[in-house]
Amino acid sequence: MSQTTHTSTSSGKKQMLSEQVYAHLRDAIMRGDHAPGAALKPQDLAKEQGVSLAVVREALVRVVGEGLADRLPNRGFAVPAFSDRRWQEIAEARRTVEPAMLRMSVERGDVDWEARVRAAHHRLSRTPAYVPEEGEHYSSAWAEAHRVFHRTLLEGCGNLVLLETFDRMWTASELARRWSAHRNPGRDGALEHRRLEEAALARDADTAAEVLTRHLTQTAAGLTDCPHDQPTAEA
């Protein structure tokens, strides 16, 4: 085997291992296996997964890039804390951008957009929020249905730059959504989603924007209120 082929094979194997470790770590954080503020020690993760430190560090950098972990100066890596100011900043950004996008969608969306909104809401309402095998936080299937519903509501705006901004903010706030849902069992997320759908399809831009703003505000508030014992589907 030539040196070039050997190097290429080694690089490919490292990339595959890094992808596996990244997926495992991301899922573990999402499930709540690592508590808020808990250290993510590369040496321990490498031993647990049977891989090199380089592979683990590469995976950790990706997780940090998605907002699911922090890289702390001279202290390594850690899961973000409940009190992290970033969650409130992301919520503020979403409350500024998304209601404006929804207004644009209500004004510009066509009949096909209406059909997609209705279908996305139907899928969300019929998807179980919690399944025993995925732990105490909401299921991956519900999380995807939730994302699709919110994005579909905004797609009628027709502005790709704004939709890319939404995608980035959604990824950055995923962990906060899960924590907020777990800490607020009395919240009726299904009702909030239904009101969003109804206002959008009624072409009531003012009500739709108001409902969405309240919706986003409650998620952020869930990280500052007193925690509760039972989970609920976050809105």
Side-chain angles (χ1 to χ4, degrees):
M1 180 183 292
S2 67
Q3 182 66 34
T4 300
T5 302
H6 177 74
T7 301
S8 177
T9 301
S10 298
S11 177
K13 182 178 180 180
K14 179 183 176 183
Q15 183 176 359
M16 180 183 68
L17 290 173
S18 177
E19 182 68 31
Q20 291 173 350
V21 173
Y22 156 76
H24 173 83
L25 182 57
R26 187 181 192 280
D27 289 346
I29 293 173
M30 289 294 194
R31 286 195 307 268
D33 293 352
H34 300 281
L40 298 170
K41 300 178 180 179
Q43 295 89 343
D44 292 347
L45 293 171
K47 183 177 180 180
E48 174 190 322
Q49 295 296 306
V51 297
S52 68
L53 277 174
V55 167
V56 169
R57 288 186 180 280
E58 187 175 312
L60 281 166
V61 168
R62 288 185 64 185
V63 173
V64 169
E66 290 190 346
L68 301 179
D70 290 331
R71 188 167 192 170
L72 309 175
N74 303 316
R75 290 168 54 198
F77 300 87
V79 177
F82 275 133
S83 59
D84 196 322
R85 179 175 173 78
R86 87 177 69 182
W87 309 129
Q88 304 307 321
E89 292 177 343
I90 292 170
E92 182 180 53
R94 293 187 65 192
R95 286 195 301 267
T96 300
V97 174
E98 291 180 35
M101 292 176 69
L102 184 53
R103 285 180 176 277
M104 293 166 64
S105 287
V106 169
E107 294 168 359
R108 300 176 181 179
D110 57 16
V111 174
D112 287 340
W113 169 74
E114 291 182 358
R116 293 197 304 274
V117 169
R118 194 174 298 280
H121 181 258
H122 180 74
R123 177 187 175 196
L124 176 61
S125 66
R126 294 300 183 91
T127 302
Y130 295 92
V131 294
E133 59 268 25
E134 291 196 39
E136 64 185 8
H137 294 289
Y138 54 70
S139 69
S140 56
W142 189 90
E144 177 60 10
H146 186 217
R147 183 194 69 80
V148 169
F149 172 66
H150 275 270
R151 197 182 197 280
T152 302
L153 278 171
L154 305 182
E155 284 174 352
C157 76
N159 187 309
L160 294 180
V161 175
L162 286 173
L163 288 169
E164 288 172 358
T165 300
F166 165 82
D167 290 338
R168 289 194 297 273
M169 291 191 297
W170 186 271
T171 298
S173 59
E174 177 62 21
L175 189 57
R177 269 192 300 279
R178 288 171 181 254
W179 287 346
S180 179
H182 183 63
R183 290 159 63 91
N184 289 273
R187 185 177 178 188
D188 192 343
L191 176 61
E192 292 177 39
H193 289 136
R194 187 169 70 250
R195 287 175 173 168
L196 271 172
E197 180 207 26
E198 290 172 350
L201 296 185
R203 301 291 178 159
D204 186 343
D206 289 341
T207 299
E210 180 183 350
V211 171
L212 181 56
T213 298
R214 288 200 306 267
H215 186 70
L216 298 174
T217 298
Q218 288 192 51
T219 299
L223 298 180
T224 57
D225 295 339
C226 293
H228 299 282
D229 294 328
Q230 300 299 321
T232 188
E234 177 269 341

